[in-house]
Amino acid sequence: MPSGSTALHLVAGGFGGTAGAILTCPLEVVKTRLQSSSLALRPFCLPVVQLQGLNGALIRPGFSSVGVLELLRTILEKEGIRSLFRGLGPNLIGVAPSRAIYFAAYSQAKEKLNTVFVPESKKVHMLSAACAGVTSASLTNPIWLVKTRMQLEARAKSERHSSALQCAMRVYRTEGLRGFYRGITASYAGVSETIIHFVIYEALKQRLREHQPFLAPGLLFSPKSQDFLGLMAAAAVSKTCASCIAYPHEVIRTRLREEGCRYRSFVQTLQLVVREEGPLALYRGLLAQMFRQIPNAAIVMVTYELIIHLATKM
C-alpha cells in the first residue's frame, strides 16, 4: 500500500471495512455463537446430551458438533432473521473507524520504518502490521465488546432485544469502565494474525507486480478486472493462512467478553477451555470464520486499493 495522505487512507480503510461488515454480518453472528460457551448457546441450540465416560463421569459434548448451517437454521427458526444482524449497529459504528485507524496507522508506520529498515522488507511489513493492530484494538475494543454481547443475546422472536446503548449501559453499571476492555489481551494476541495476513498479502501483491513489468514500481495496479481479481485472491489466501494459524485467540476473546466472571484472563481462559472442552474447542466456529473472513478480507482490501487508486488518478 502506498504512503500518502493519512486522510485518504482513513477514508479508504473506512469504506472497505464498512462494505465487508454489512455483507458478512450473518456469518459473524453464527461464528460468535459457536465460539461462545455452551451456557450462552444452550437456550436456542440443539438439546444437550450427557454421556457417561469410562471413569463414570458425565461428559457433555461440546457444540463443535453443531454445524454452521444447523445453527443458522436454528437462529432463523427460534429468533428470526433480524437476529442474524445482531450487533450490526456497533459493527457499522466501529468498523469504519477501526479499519480507518488500522490502515492509516499501517501506512504511517510503514512509511517511517522504510527509512530505518530495508524498504518494503518483511520486517517493515511485520512491524507496521503490529503497530496498526495494537493501535486499532486499543481504541475500538469497547465497541467490539458491545457487539459481541449483542450477538450472544439469544431471545425468542416475540421478545425484545437490547439496543447497543442499553447493552453499553448495562456493561457500565455492572462492570464499570474496565468492563469495556474485557478481551483486549486476546486482541493483542490476535495481532499475530494481522502480521501473518499482511506479510503474506504484501508478498503475493509483490509477485503480482512482478508479472506486470509495464507498471512503474511506485504505481498501483491498473483498473483492469484481472488486477483486482488478483488482489482479491491475494487477500483471501493471506487471510485464510493467518486465520487458521491464529484462530484460537478469537475463541478466547469471545469467552472473555461474555457476561459473568468465569473467564478472567487470557491464560486462565485458555487453560479452562482446553481442560473442560479439549484442544479442539479452540477451533470452534472456524468454518464459519472461513466463510465470513475470506470474502470479507477480499472485499475490504480491494475496496481499499480501489479507492486509493482512484484518488491517486484524480
Side-chain angles (χ1 to χ4, degrees):
M1 278 160 277
S3 60
S5 169
T6 301
L8 175 59
H9 289 279
L10 283 167
V11 172
F15 273 105
T18 301
I22 294 173
L23 295 174
T24 61
C25 185
L27 284 170
E28 186 176 12
V29 173
V30 172
K31 179 208 72 172
T32 303
R33 296 284 182 94
L34 288 170
Q35 289 175 342
S36 67
S37 66
S38 57
L39 290 176
L41 282 168
R42 185 180 298 175
F44 292 100
C45 271
L46 301 180
V48 176
V49 180
Q50 291 188 326
L51 304 175
Q52 190 167 17
L54 295 176
N55 58 357
L58 289 176
I59 302 172
R60 186 180 63 196
F63 282 90
S64 55
S65 60
V66 178
V68 175
L69 294 178
E70 201 169 8
L71 179 54
L72 188 63
R73 185 178 66 250
T74 302
I75 293 174
L76 284 171
E77 290 175 356
K78 301 289 186 179
E79 303 175 52
I81 192 170
R82 291 184 64 182
S83 283
L84 292 176
F85 290 90
R86 293 287 296 155
L88 181 58
N91 218 352
L92 293 179
I93 293 171
V95 74
S98 174
R99 291 294 183 178
I101 292 166
Y102 185 92
F103 280 108
Y106 182 83
S107 175
Q108 289 297 306
K110 193 169 75 166
E111 184 176 2
K112 296 291 191 299
L113 291 171
N114 275 336
T115 64
V116 179
F117 303 105
V118 177
E120 300 300 324
S121 63
K122 286 185 174 58
K123 184 181 291 186
V124 169
H125 296 156
M126 290 175 66
L127 292 175
S128 299
C131 291
V134 170
T135 302
S136 178
S138 299
L139 294 176
T140 58
N141 196 78
I143 299 173
W144 305 136
L145 180 125
V146 171
K147 181 201 71 173
T148 300
R149 293 284 177 91
M150 292 180 69
Q151 290 177 340
L152 292 176
E153 188 180 47
R155 296 191 180 184
K157 294 179 182 180
S158 57
E159 295 181 318
R160 187 173 181 178
H161 290 85
S162 301
S163 66
L165 181 59
Q166 290 172 331
C167 185
M169 292 300 296
R170 186 166 62 247
V171 172
Y172 179 73
R173 285 196 305 268
T174 58
E175 304 172 55
L177 289 175
R178 291 186 62 184
F180 288 102
Y181 285 89
R182 290 184 62 173
I184 196 165
T185 51
S187 293
Y188 289 155
V191 171
S192 60
E193 178 181 336
T194 304
I195 293 172
I196 296 167
H197 169 44
F198 268 90
V199 168
I200 298 175
Y201 176 72
E202 293 280 8
L204 292 175
K205 193 168 131 182
Q206 184 59 39
R207 292 297 297 272
L208 289 172
R209 277 204 183 100
E210 291 171 357
H211 286 83
Q212 297 186 17
F214 56 91
L215 286 178
L219 295 178
L220 279 174
F221 298 99
S222 60
K224 296 179 181 177
S225 60
Q226 61 265 31
D227 298 332
F228 290 103
L229 286 174
L231 284 177
M232 290 185 74
V237 170
S238 60
K239 194 63 180 179
T240 300
C241 296
S243 294
C244 290
I245 294 170
Y247 184 76
H249 90 273
E250 293 239 7
V251 175
I252 296 172
R253 184 172 60 193
T254 296
R255 299 296 179 94
L256 285 169
R257 288 175 176 170
E258 290 179 9
E259 291 190 64
C261 57
R262 191 160 186 261
Y263 303 108
R264 298 185 298 273
S265 67
F266 183 89
V267 175
Q268 181 262 351
T269 303
L270 175 63
Q271 294 174 338
L272 191 61
V273 171
V274 172
R275 183 171 65 249
E276 292 185 349
E277 306 168 50
L280 288 179
L282 294 173
Y283 288 89
R284 271 193 199 151
L286 179 59
L287 184 59
Q289 173 75 342
M290 290 295 99
F291 287 150
R292 185 192 78 87
Q293 198 71 296
I294 292 173
N296 183 67
I299 293 166
V300 170
M301 298 305 293
V302 171
T303 303
Y304 171 80
E305 298 277 9
L306 178 60
I307 292 174
I308 294 291
H309 174 82
L310 293 175
T312 55
K313 292 298 182 182
M314 291 176 63

